[in-house]
Amino acid sequence: MFSKRLMDVPESGTVAIANIVSQLKQEGVNIISFSMGEPDFDTPDNIKEACVRSLRDGFTHYTPSMGIPELRKAIAEKTTRENKIACTSKNVLVTPTKHALFMIALAYLDPGDEVLLPDPAWVSYEAVIRLAGAKPVYVPTKFEDNFCMSVDKVASAITERTKMLIINSPSNPTGSVMPKDTLKGIADICIEKNIRVLSDEIYEHIIYEGEHVSIGSFDGMFDRTLTISGLSKTYAMTGWRLGWLIASEKDIAAVNKLQTHSITCCTSFTQPAAIEALRGTQEPKIKMVEEFKKRRDLALDLLNDIKGVECNRPEGAFYLFPKYDYKVLSDDLAMYLMKDAHVAVTPGRSFGPAGEGFFRLSYAASEENLTEGIGRIKKSLSKL
Ligand code: PMP
Ligand code: GLU
């Protein structure tokens, strides 16, 4: 009855856990959630005000499908300045980041194509690859290597069917940041083997140590790289559904074809607010990242203090990906913690085969909740 395409894909593991959490909260359960990957901060006031102004000004109709010109310009300027990817408005498509991913899969992948992605990786990559009829090929990473793909591992996963490689640095679910020389080595292979790169840089500003490097900035990479990012994480704007794709003009035109047949354009009145986010004060973002760093350190100390739990020190995003030494599958562990501790975490297995034996904890939560929630995890694990 449903398409084979749909039946091949499970529900999003991250969103599924979040849905259970909101149901339990509605029922009055005192649940502490470390499941959802979204900042718990409010969208800064200057951005909200810009949105209200545009509503009042009656900016409530369709916009050009690629986004309003001034926003495309602001994104191009930001990308040239911060990401060192020299580009203009013509290289920008304004679109929700997750929708960019979906359109890219439909625009570039055919049945039989292989797509390399890190193992573990964010849940929706495998899903969109499968929906497009292509084959996800996981490149294993190791806890000991801070979950970074190595140049050798990427090279050995390539076949004549490899069409695309996904990079996500800083990473969801591990928080790891890929070193520049590894990215350069991977870029060289992609050029040599004629492979496209999808670089998901949504956590580009949430970084505590090391530097964020865009793979699309290396010589010879612009024309083969699809760089996606957005406002959700940097400016605590997950509900606004606003992001972008940076690519060659030819690629933007191709993906825009899908935009015109799907969402038409992004919401109109949020686009002037996005200009304010990019060009206005960056103070709230800086404060938020400082706060996340404190929480990372706190959560790390608390987790590493639990018997049978070990966690490395991620340099970015707001996730910890601890491994545990209990004989229980990560799906079952997450359910056990939900029932016994009233704490929500995401099972590591949702993020790929290498995620088995791990769980993901989002520390986009108050210090009080981190202390209480990880305390509850400790108590529940001690009973296993
Ligand atoms: N990429 C990664 C790695 C993510 O974690 C997320 C989750 N928000 C997205 C893309 C999608 O971002 P958005 O919700 O802004 O579409
Ligand atoms: N990216 C976030 C997460 O991993 C939000 C949910 C989703 O889009 O997967 O939790």
Side-chain angles (χ1 to χ4, degrees):
M1 157 175 88
F2 296 111
S3 68
K4 180 164 176 322
R5 188 178 313 118
L6 181 73
M7 302 307 280
D8 270 357
V9 169
E11 188 186 2
S12 160
T14 50
V15 178
I17 293 275
N19 287 343
I20 299 176
V21 169
S22 50
Q23 178 64 35
L24 288 173
K25 277 188 177 161
Q26 259 183 14
E27 289 166 14
V29 180
N30 169 17
I31 193 118
I32 294 184
S33 177
F34 302 133
S35 71
M36 195 61 160
E38 66 171 339
D40 55 324
F41 296 87
D42 199 6
T43 304
D45 280 342
N46 61 318
I47 303 174
K48 287 200 267 187
E49 285 308 319
C51 179
V52 170
R53 261 196 316 276
S54 71
L55 270 171
R56 291 222 168 92
D57 290 348
F59 194 61
T60 54
H61 296 94
Y62 290 132
T63 73
S65 65
M66 290 195 195
I68 58 173
E70 201 53 28
L71 175 57
R72 293 177 73 204
K73 186 159 177 259
I75 295 168
E77 284 165 1
K78 171 254 176 251
T79 305
T80 305
R81 186 179 67 245
E82 292 179 355
N83 304 79
K84 312 281 182 276
I85 302 177
C87 63
T88 73
S89 309
K90 292 181 179 159
N91 304 114
V92 178
L93 175 67
V94 179
T95 190
T97 316
K98 218 165 171 171
H99 190 57
L101 181 68
F102 202 82
M103 292 191 294
I104 287 167
L106 291 187
Y108 296 92
L109 303 178
D110 283 313
D113 288 342
E114 294 179 359
V115 181
L116 305 186
L117 72 166
D119 187 10
W122 177 49
V123 294
S124 290
Y125 301 135
E126 175 175 339
V128 297
I129 295 166
R130 286 193 189 283
L131 285 171
K135 182 178 165 202
V137 176
Y138 279 109
V139 178
T141 71
K142 287 201 283 202
F143 177 85
E144 296 74 27
D145 300 336
N146 204 17
F147 301 106
C148 279
M149 287 189 294
S150 70
V151 180
D152 289 349
K153 283 268 161 38
V154 170
S156 59
I158 293 173
T159 71
E160 69 281 2
R161 303 195 139 193
T162 309
K163 183 89 172 270
M164 188 180 273
L165 162 77
I166 298 179
I167 299 279
N168 174 222
S169 176
S171 148
N172 177 3
T174 67
S176 68
V177 173
M178 289 186 75
K180 187 173 182 177
D181 53 348
T182 308
L183 284 171
K184 177 74 176 82
I186 291 176
D188 289 344
I189 297 183
C190 291
I191 292 171
E192 188 194 321
K193 303 282 186 185
N194 193 23
I195 295 169
R196 268 193 180 275
V197 175
L198 166 58
S199 182
D200 180 349
E201 305 186 11
I202 193 129
Y203 297 100
E204 60 183 306
H205 287 285
I206 304 181
I207 189 156
Y208 318 110
E209 288 103 24
E211 60 168 334
H212 174 70
V213 176
S214 294
I215 194 165
S217 67
F218 293 125
D219 282 350
M221 285 302 288
F222 183 74
D223 280 343
R224 67 177 62 253
T225 308
L226 303 151
T227 304
I228 60 175
S229 189
L231 302 173
S232 285
K233 318 287 167 163
T234 308
Y235 301 99
M237 291 173 71
T238 44
W240 294 60
R241 316 306 303 130
L242 211 58
W244 53 82
L245 161 67
I246 305 293
S248 73
E249 262 187 80
K250 195 170 144 209
D251 289 304
I252 292 292
V255 177
N256 183 51
K257 220 178 358 165
L258 291 167
Q259 176 119 311
T260 63
H261 285 304
S262 53
I263 61 170
T264 306
C265 60
C266 281
T267 305
S268 54
F269 46 85
T270 55
Q271 294 186 48
I275 300 174
E276 174 61 26
L278 294 171
R279 291 192 178 147
T281 174
Q282 302 297 303
E283 260 319 295
K285 164 182 96 184
I286 293 164
K287 287 219 179 82
M288 183 179 78
V289 174
E290 275 167 11
E291 191 56 37
F292 278 144
K293 185 171 189 234
K294 275 200 268 167
R295 295 174 183 183
R296 176 200 63 175
D297 294 341
L298 169 71
L300 253 180
D301 285 349
L302 293 168
L303 280 169
N304 279 326
D305 190 45
I306 302 177
K307 190 168 161 282
V309 171
E310 192 184 351
C311 191
N312 60 11
R313 189 180 202 80
E315 307 97 334
F318 37 65
Y319 304 110
L320 294 173
F321 202 63
K323 78 173 170 198
Y324 60 85
D325 193 15
Y326 295 93
K327 298 254 161 299
V328 46
L329 293 174
S330 62
D331 278 339
D332 298 334
L333 186 90
M335 276 307 147
Y336 170 67
L337 292 178
M338 184 93 84
K339 287 203 182 103
D340 194 74
H342 290 166
V343 171
V345 297
T346 311
R349 181 63 184 87
S350 305
F351 303 96
E356 190 50 87
F358 293 79
F359 61 92
R360 188 190 76 171
L361 180 144
S362 158
Y363 52 89
S366 67
E367 289 189 21
E368 194 189 340
N369 274 356
L370 283 168
T371 308
E372 164 70 20
I374 299 174
R376 290 191 200 172
I377 294 177
K378 182 175 183 173
K379 208 163 145 204
S380 290
L381 290 182
S382 73
K383 294 190 246 168
L384 285 180

